[in-house]
Amino acid sequence: MKKQWLLLIPALLFLCQCSGSHTTLTVSESPGTPAVSPPKSINYTDFRSAMENLDFQYLESATEITKAQQEFADALRLAVDGNFAGAERQFSTLVKTAGDSAILADSQSILDNLRFFRSEWDSILTEQPDSTNGTDDNRALAEAYRQFPKEQYEFPVQPQQVPLDFSLSGCPVIPVVINGHKYEFWLDTGASTSCLASDVAEDCGVTPIDVENTSAQTATSKRVAIQPAVINEVRIGDIIIKDHPAIILKKEDLEFKLLGLIRILKVDGIIGWNAIQNMDITLDYLNKSATIQQPVIDENMDRNLFWLGYPVVTVLSPAGIPLHFGLDTGANVTSLHKNILNKVDTLGIKKRSVLVGSAGGFEHVESFTLPALTMLSGKYALHYVNLTGHPLTGAEFIQLDGTFGSDLPANGSVRIDCTNGRLELLYPGAK
């Protein structure tokens, strides 16, 4: 039986504009509290649509909310607030007690993701069904990873600063040492699991774990073959990661060729979200340096970043409507998803075509262009021109409004602190 693994694949996404003007971003200081008199009304017609957009106020206005729906909403809120243990307990209870088949299916799917996020291989094998919503894939991979000791992180006392470079697609690149071998790896928040090209894995002595044939969905409609593996040691500066779960892809699937003939990009490997989530990382795009340290819990920090199958950042429209954007440093430009069209001004919207590249190759997708969009994030207003929309998304259950690419911090720096659910931007030139 051919396994299909949907979530643990690098996004490797970059967009080639096929028509029209390129996306541009300028930043200014935020004007302050968004104007909300009155805000644009979002009238969701059903419970699931409201929850997919994290509109918990829907519960106050809805005429009939069942006990299972209320419990599902409570569990979802826990996940968004970073209480993964509490969310897992709640979803686990719903899987056993919910009489609503839709609630049960969504709870099971989110629960599967939470257990992978937390590397709970034994729970996956003992508590998940053999074949529900793709959980047979999770079981095969959990069986592979559980053969190794639990992953460990060793942080020195001082934060580690390493050089920061950028790939042709704009993804940040940092020096790493894999089992004593030096490489330049992408630092890709859109990749849920770290990966190595097959030739690099062979050179570094990273041996694939024998499981049934497994494939993964890429950022396009293409699928590629993968093999699970565990890297004995990853070094970033003096930070040491031991027994790091990863996947191996054929080196051909991490090469991008013009017209299928001329190689324009080769990826040796990627540090994915399963590593990034355990570190406090500041990427200084202006000075081309990355500072990495052990995260420290700060109960007073305002959260604007959560994970649910994908890292998601919450920003505001000028009308005060929350917008949920995936965070993908592997994408060279910020893009939109059609879900946002009910939340912002769409005056002047145009259809267009874009060429999307990912592991496995390129493909054209039908898209749209929004001439202008302003979003508020902390003390900054982000003014985008000619934002492209496409149908791709990587989040679990959540309907994303768009995806932030590496153009977001291009004129400044970004701090990614998953432990405290915080993404902080710094633009020294903003006025």
Side-chain angles (χ1 to χ4, degrees):
M1 176 180 176
K2 184 178 181 180
K3 302 291 185 181
Q4 293 183 336
W5 193 19
L6 297 178
L7 295 174
L8 303 181
I9 181 68
L12 307 183
L13 175 65
F14 56 98
L15 305 177
C16 301
Q17 308 291 348
C18 298
S19 62
S21 302
H22 292 292
T23 300
T24 60
L25 167 65
T26 56
V27 180
S28 65
E29 293 184 356
S30 173
T33 304
V36 290
S37 54
K40 184 175 180 179
S41 177
I42 310 296
N43 296 316
Y44 297 107
T45 58
D46 57 79
F47 171 80
R48 195 177 197 278
S49 296
M51 294 303 100
E52 286 176 334
N53 286 275
L54 302 179
D55 185 354
F56 297 109
Q57 291 184 352
Y58 174 87
L59 302 173
E60 301 173 6
S61 58
T63 55
E64 294 184 9
I65 294 294
T66 67
K67 180 175 181 291
Q69 288 176 333
Q70 182 63 60
E71 291 174 347
F72 179 89
D74 292 342
L76 186 61
R77 199 193 303 259
L78 287 172
V80 171
D81 290 343
N83 186 346
F84 298 114
E88 184 177 328
R89 286 193 298 270
Q90 185 95 337
F91 283 122
S92 181
T93 299
L94 278 168
V95 167
K96 299 172 184 175
T97 63
D100 185 324
S101 60
I103 292 291
L104 189 153
D106 287 334
S107 297
Q108 182 69 68
S109 182
I110 295 173
L111 181 61
D112 297 346
N113 273 269
L114 289 175
R115 285 173 171 163
F116 255 99
F117 175 77
R118 305 179 73 203
S119 302
E120 296 179 348
W121 316 129
D122 287 339
S123 294
I124 291 169
L125 291 168
T126 59
E127 298 182 29
Q128 292 182 186
D130 289 340
S131 183
T132 302
N133 293 329
T135 55
D136 53 340
D137 308 331
N138 293 353
R139 292 174 65 86
L141 294 163
E143 185 62 54
Y145 292 140
R146 76 179 302 202
Q147 301 173 33
F148 292 80
K150 185 177 180 180
E151 180 183 31
Q152 294 183 2
Y153 286 73
E154 297 178 5
F155 290 92
V157 175
Q158 296 298 324
Q160 296 296 292
Q161 189 172 81
V162 298
L164 182 67
D165 205 346
F166 302 94
S167 71
L168 180 64
S169 70
C171 184
V173 178
I174 60 172
V176 300
V177 179
I178 307 295
N179 293 344
H181 297 257
K182 296 180 181 180
Y183 289 96
E184 302 286 320
F185 271 31
W186 288 22
L187 191 69
D188 188 353
T189 59
S192 55
T193 297
S194 298
C195 82
L196 302 91
S198 55
D199 57 337
V200 172
E202 184 175 355
D203 290 343
C204 295
V206 179
T207 305
I209 305 170
D210 186 23
V211 296
E212 295 185 57
N213 293 336
T214 309
S215 68
Q217 183 70 52
T218 70
T220 66
S221 65
K222 300 180 183 297
R223 304 192 68 84
V224 294
I226 64 170
Q227 295 176 299
V230 171
I231 304 173
N232 181 53
E233 183 181 273
V234 179
R235 286 181 175 262
I236 305 173
D238 289 331
I239 298 170
I240 302 174
I241 309 173
K242 294 183 177 179
D243 299 307
H244 183 51
I247 58 175
I248 299 173
L249 283 77
K250 294 179 181 178
K251 67 182 184 67
E252 294 82 6
D253 288 328
L254 289 176
E255 295 176 346
F256 297 86
K257 295 183 178 181
L258 185 64
L259 302 177
L261 299 172
I262 304 172
R263 191 173 78 181
I264 59 175
L265 183 63
K266 166 70 163 67
V267 183
D268 287 331
I270 293 171
I271 299 298
W273 186 256
N274 64 326
I276 295 170
Q277 69 183 9
N278 296 308
M279 300 183 283
D280 181 344
I281 301 177
T282 298
L283 302 177
D284 187 339
Y285 279 52
L286 281 180
N287 297 303
K288 300 184 71 173
S289 70
T291 302
I292 307 174
Q293 59 188 331
Q294 184 173 11
V296 178
I297 295 176
D298 184 352
E299 300 288 353
N300 298 317
M301 189 172 289
D302 292 331
R303 305 180 70 92
N304 68 343
L305 172 69
F306 67 92
W307 182 94
L308 204 59
Y310 206 77
V312 181
V313 181
T314 300
V315 295
L316 296 176
S317 75
I321 298 173
L323 305 175
H324 305 297
F325 273 62
L327 178 64
D328 185 359
T329 56
N332 67 335
V333 292
T334 294
S335 57
L336 301 177
H337 305 310
K338 64 180 181 180
N339 191 65
I340 200 173
L341 300 181
N342 294 323
K343 303 178 181 180
V344 300
D345 186 356
T346 59
L347 183 66
I349 190 171
K350 296 179 181 179
K351 293 182 179 181
R352 63 181 303 167
S353 176
V354 295
L355 186 64
V356 179
S358 181
F362 294 89
E363 70 179 12
H364 283 92
V365 297
E366 292 304 315
S367 185
F368 62 88
T369 299
L370 203 60
L373 177 64
T374 293
M375 294 176 282
L376 307 179
S377 178
K379 62 181 180 179
Y380 298 110
L382 312 174
H383 308 284
Y384 279 96
V385 174
N386 293 323
L387 269 176
T388 298
H390 60 80
L392 304 176
T393 180
E396 173 63 31
F397 184 78
I398 303 298
Q399 286 291 321
L400 294 179
D401 296 306
T403 300
F404 283 125
S406 274
D407 58 337
L408 176 65
N411 295 316
S413 64
V414 58
R415 179 181 178 185
I416 304 168
D417 180 5
C418 179
T419 298
N420 292 298
R422 188 67 188 167
L423 180 132
E424 294 182 300
L425 298 168
L426 177 62
Y427 298 101
K431 296 181 180 181

